[in-house]
């Protein structure tokens, strides 16, 4: 299995999906109605949106940078298109803090991360995504909400190969 490289546009897409699930109160790979058009579909559309958004952010930062490095970045970005996904998969999960059946006491963000990863690795489909050698890039995004005095974390992993 090769190394998975954390990729900014996949992180952006994953984070926004986790936030959208909390904001709109759903838990699904597909979001049907959203104020943000890119979230009306599934993982492929979100990753394409993330790539385009990240390219826009990079181009804007290059415009503001008056140094030699900024001029070089602008030169090489002229007409550059973001790298669009070829093969995409997504894992989503949610994890409360407190006593969690089958996991134990989840108190800290570190406990949440360990418990979420353990849960994904116990699931055949999630595990397959994580260990798939086709994937070379990944992004993870986490959002949190308060619920009945505890925190509940939503996590999204996006993979690209």
């Amino acid at each position: 299995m090769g190394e998975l490289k954390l990729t900014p546009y996949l992180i952006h897409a994953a984070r926004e999906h986790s936030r959208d699930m909390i904001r709109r109160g759903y838990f699904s790979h597909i979001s049907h109605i959203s104020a943000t058009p890119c979230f009306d579909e599934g993982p492929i559309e979100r990753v394409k949106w993330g790539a385009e958004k990240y390219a826009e952010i990079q181009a804007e930062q290059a415009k503001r940078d008056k140094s030699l490095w900024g001029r070089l970045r602008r030169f090489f970005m002229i007409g550059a298109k973001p790298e669009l996904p070829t093969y995409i998969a997504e894992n989503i999960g949610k994890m409360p803090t407190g006593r969690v059946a089958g996991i134990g006491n989840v108190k800290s963000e570190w406990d949440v991360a360990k418990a979420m990863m353990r849960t994904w690795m116990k699931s055949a489909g999630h595990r397959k995504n994580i260990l798939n050698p086709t994937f070379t890039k990944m992004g993870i995004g986490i959002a949190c909400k308060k619920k009945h005095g505890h925190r509940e974390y939503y996590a999204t992993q996006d993979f690209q190969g």
Side-chain angles (χ1 to χ4, degrees), residues 7 13 21 23 32 38 53 61 112 135 139 144:
T7 306
M21 287 190 290
R23 185 173 44 251
H32 300 285
C38 69
K53 202 65 164 162
Q61 288 175 346
V112 169
F135 298 128
C144 178

Side-chain angles (χ1 to χ4, degrees), residues 43-58:
I44 292 171
E45 291 77 17
R46 281 193 297 276
V47 169
K48 285 181 181 177
W49 173 84
E52 291 165 2
K53 202 65 164 162
Y54 183 73
E56 288 173 17
I57 291 166
Q58 291 297 303

